[in-house]
Amino acid sequence: MKKIPKKNFANLLFFFGPFLLTLGLTVGVILDKWDILPLVFIIAGLLICIGWVFFQAQKNQFWKQRSTVSTTNALVATLAVLTILGLINFLGTRYQLRLDLTETQLFTLAPQSKELLRTLPKPAKVWLFTREQNLQDEQLLENYRRQTPKFNFEYIDPQTRPGLAEKFGVKAFGEVYLEFDNKRQLVQTVNEYERLSEVRLTSRLQQITSNNTAKVYFLQGHGELEFTDAKNAISQAIQGLADKNFTALPLSLTEQTTVPEDAAVVVVAGPKRELLAGEVTALEDYLNRGGNLMLMVDPNTDPKIDDLLQDWGVKLDNRLAVDVSGTTLGLGPAAPAVTEYGQHPITKDFGNGISFYPLARPILIEPIPEIQSTPLLRTKSYPNSWAESDQQNENLEFNEGQDLKGPLTLGVALTRKLSSPSPTPTASPSPTSTPSPTASPFPTPTPTPTASPTEENSQNQSKESRLVVFGNSDFARDGLFQQQLNGDVFLNSVTWLSQEDQQPLSIRPKEQTNRRITMSTAKANLLSISSLLLLPFIGLATGAIIWWKRR
């Protein structure tokens, strides 16, 4: 029998390597299942191929050649460098270390933000409804995400995903919403001139993660709009408050003589009968200690609150607001359509949007030094609108001397600074207040420590009291609440009254130190000439002198 040479046997064995490797790959692809059979073929083929390579290298003394040693050393060094770089990147990704060397720590979150994120009980997500991704906003959100894996953010184009935008109630590009535990809250609207703020984002995150919601009390017992689903109900408005993390509760001032201390806002929605003197006194005391009140009073009603309103410089006119321009929108002349809004946080994003108020009464405002008042809703000018005194006449027309020419004010927001804060939530209210006549109606928030809802409400009350008055309540009623901007007027008013714009956390906005040099035009021209002409000439002259001496 003829003996097979070792050389031929090794070559023959090598062919089994590629064969088994190809067989294993083919079986795995065909069966689409990489179980034990294809893996055995692949491993066997790889071992045979590797063994053949080592056999050939040993036979030819490949490893002892000088070129092989140099090449091997180079490969080992390269693999070592790549391994080290890979480990550094892995450790850098897993254990991040960032140094903020800016003077005011511009790129570092405040301790309050870090602590809030560290104790975040459930995942929270920020939704930015905008087309453009701003680098400054993205860096701030990345700083939040680095603190905890429970925080995330996402950019959304409202036009490509209109369903999601409608779910959040997005009305304009740039709106930023915070979502936590099936609750959503508007953080702010970003644009070219206003970027995302850590102060606002952390404040909204604290509010939405808190188990204690702000309480809004609705006065009952005088024919006000009802809570339940009825003909004259505000159930949609109540649901809108719940979506914004408010708790709506009924309030009877005949059963208790004072407004509860935990009341963030008290709403009097369309009373048909007069309030008792004790009830009016309770509301006045509530305002005097820093409370927040919304009054919605329809025409042809007299709730007997003139004394309360007189202290704020407000008077309810007994005439009916008429707007004949609304007929083009399908509205009657007694349902004014408002497209003009005051410069105020309640209406700042309304633009020229439409809201309408069936059967409304005008509001007259008398300036008082200690009160800051801002008209919110204004009808069109005469002859499109006027206040009608003869409401029984079917033919509404302006009568000189009896009626009031437009524009008419249908809603007003007022602020009164308190002269001295109450030391405790149950302290006696200050009877009068004497703030500066030039005080801003929207004061800069004063830092306060994190506190319980009652303590925080007391701290907010120590700053100012707020009042919003509307000459109509139907705009918040079911069926009209979701029409145009009606619901926004109501919800924005409650939000502003709750003083959520007063920052409960002591986070100061970080500002860059201005190190720019201010110089006159002559100095700027001298600097330009010296840098473009003088300095190059000095260098050229120096070089020429050195060359001349060495020559």
Side-chain angles (χ1 to χ4, degrees):
M1 183 175 180
K2 189 175 180 180
K3 194 174 182 179
I4 300 176
K6 287 185 177 181
K7 181 178 179 181
N8 295 337
F9 180 77
N11 292 333
L12 183 62
L13 183 63
F14 165 71
F15 285 111
F16 277 97
F19 172 75
L20 293 175
L21 184 62
T22 304
L23 180 62
L25 293 173
T26 304
V27 171
V29 171
I30 292 176
L31 298 180
D32 195 18
K33 185 170 61 173
W34 300 92
D35 54 6
I36 187 65
L37 182 61
L39 291 179
V40 167
F41 287 146
I42 293 173
I43 293 174
L46 288 174
L47 291 176
I48 292 174
C49 291
I50 294 172
W52 182 84
V53 170
F54 273 93
F55 174 76
Q56 292 295 329
Q58 185 68 25
K59 184 179 67 173
N60 299 328
Q61 296 184 345
F62 176 78
W63 300 109
K64 296 181 180 180
Q65 297 179 10
R66 187 174 180 179
S67 60
T68 302
V69 174
S70 301
T71 303
T72 302
N73 290 337
L75 289 175
V76 171
T78 303
L79 291 175
V81 171
L82 293 176
T83 302
I84 293 173
L85 292 176
L87 289 174
I88 292 175
N89 280 275
F90 172 76
L91 294 175
T93 304
R94 181 65 62 89
Y95 309 101
Q96 296 183 6
L97 177 62
R98 302 176 71 250
L99 297 177
D100 188 355
L101 302 179
T102 57
E103 180 181 3
T104 56
Q105 298 292 293
L106 289 172
F107 305 103
T108 302
L109 294 181
Q112 296 89 336
S113 300
K114 292 182 179 180
E115 178 64 20
L116 184 61
L117 291 168
R118 187 183 65 82
T119 58
L120 202 61
K122 295 181 181 179
K125 187 172 183 179
V126 172
W127 300 84
L128 300 96
F129 291 90
T130 178
R131 294 175 178 174
E132 301 178 357
Q133 300 184 13
N134 182 268
L135 180 60
Q136 179 180 339
D137 296 345
E138 195 168 356
Q139 287 179 344
L140 176 61
L141 293 170
E142 285 289 354
N143 284 344
Y144 274 79
R145 185 158 61 181
R146 290 188 187 99
Q147 306 301 319
T148 174
K150 294 181 181 179
F151 183 90
N152 204 350
F153 66 92
E154 183 177 353
Y155 282 89
I156 299 295
D157 186 347
Q159 291 188 339
T160 58
R161 299 181 66 179
L164 184 61
E166 183 178 359
K167 178 181 177 182
F168 278 82
V170 177
K171 298 178 176 60
F173 285 101
E175 292 187 355
V176 180
Y177 281 84
L178 178 63
E179 185 178 27
F180 176 84
D181 195 22
N182 295 324
K183 295 184 291 185
R184 304 178 187 91
Q185 189 171 8
L186 177 65
V187 177
Q188 68 178 101
T189 302
V190 296
N191 51 50
E192 182 181 355
Y193 307 102
E194 183 178 3
R195 302 318 314 171
L196 187 61
S197 166
E198 178 190 355
V199 177
R200 295 187 181 181
L201 181 54
T202 299
S203 175
R204 294 297 181 262
L205 187 61
Q206 184 194 43
Q207 293 168 5
I208 202 171
T209 56
S210 175
N211 293 326
N212 300 297
T213 60
K215 294 181 180 180
V216 180
Y217 285 88
F218 286 77
L219 187 64
Q220 300 291 293
H222 316 88
E224 291 89 354
L225 298 177
E226 300 179 10
F227 271 36
T228 57
D229 189 6
K231 181 178 180 180
N232 294 317
I234 52 173
S235 60
Q236 294 175 342
I238 300 299
Q239 182 60 47
L241 290 175
D243 293 340
K244 286 185 170 290
N245 205 28
F246 289 99
T247 300
L249 298 170
L251 173 63
S252 176
L253 290 178
T254 58
E255 299 176 358
Q256 56 188 91
T257 58
T258 60
V259 176
E261 294 294 341
D262 60 355
V265 182
V266 173
V267 178
V268 182
K272 299 295 187 294
R273 297 181 293 273
E274 65 182 56
L275 277 65
L276 300 178
E279 294 176 303
V280 177
T281 301
L283 294 177
E284 290 176 338
D285 292 341
Y286 173 65
L287 288 173
N288 288 336
R289 69 173 189 259
N292 309 288
L293 178 64
M294 179 192 290
L295 298 173
M296 299 187 292
V297 185
D298 295 314
N300 301 320
T301 61
D302 186 9
K304 300 297 182 182
I305 56 175
D306 293 341
D307 292 340
L308 183 152
L309 294 176
Q310 185 178 1
D311 293 339
W312 290 75
V314 176
K315 181 180 179 181
L316 298 175
D317 194 277
N318 293 323
R319 288 167 285 200
L320 179 68
V322 175
D323 184 1
V324 295
S325 64
T327 55
T328 59
L329 302 175
L331 303 174
V338 172
T339 57
E340 298 180 11
Y341 304 94
Q343 297 296 322
H344 192 272
I346 294 177
T347 55
K348 67 175 183 177
D349 297 324
F350 284 5
N352 57 353
I354 302 173
S355 58
F356 53 93
Y357 306 86
L359 301 179
R361 65 194 308 169
I363 297 175
L364 306 179
I365 305 172
E366 179 183 352
I368 294 181
E370 63 187 41
I371 303 294
Q372 299 288 343
S373 61
T374 304
L376 298 177
L377 314 170
R378 295 180 68 87
T379 65
K380 295 179 175 58
S381 301
Y382 178 81
N384 288 321
S385 73
W386 68 88
E388 177 65 43
S389 57
D390 186 7
Q391 302 179 26
Q392 304 299 325
N393 191 350
E394 296 183 0
N395 298 322
L396 298 176
E397 58 182 6
F398 179 78
N399 296 313
E400 190 70 40
Q402 299 180 1
D403 299 337
L404 179 66
K405 293 182 178 180
L408 308 174
T409 298
L410 304 184
V412 61
L414 306 104
T415 303
R416 180 172 64 190
K417 299 286 290 183
L418 298 186
S419 59
S420 60
S422 302
T424 61
T426 57
S428 299
S430 175
T432 58
S433 56
T434 56
S436 170
T438 59
S440 171
F442 314 120
T444 302
T446 303
T448 59
T450 304
S452 65
T454 303
E455 294 171 344
E456 182 177 323
N457 187 56
S458 175
Q459 292 164 355
N460 281 341
Q461 289 177 355
S462 68
K463 300 169 186 175
E464 62 189 26
S465 57
R466 296 179 174 181
L467 174 67
V468 173
V469 183
F470 292 109
N472 174 263
S473 67
D474 283 345
F475 77 95
R477 183 167 47 85
D478 290 354
L480 297 179
F481 178 82
Q482 295 180 335
Q483 299 295 323
Q484 301 297 327
L485 293 177
N486 284 17
D488 297 271
V489 172
F490 178 83
L491 295 177
N492 288 4
S493 298
V494 173
T495 302
W496 179 76
L497 284 170
S498 67
Q499 302 200 26
E500 286 191 2
D501 57 331
Q502 303 286 19
Q503 181 49 245
L505 296 177
S506 56
I507 303 177
R508 296 180 61 85
K510 298 172 183 177
E511 300 178 356
Q512 293 183 351
T513 303
N514 186 3
R515 301 191 181 279
R516 291 175 292 184
I517 299 176
T518 303
M519 60 178 63
S520 62
T521 304
K523 292 181 179 180
N525 294 334
L526 179 61
L527 181 62
S528 300
I529 294 173
S530 62
S531 60
L532 296 177
L533 299 177
L534 185 58
L535 292 179
F537 175 76
I538 292 175
L540 182 61
T542 302
I545 293 172
I546 294 174
W547 172 81
W548 178 262
K549 288 185 176 181
R550 290 183 177 181
R551 187 179 65 85

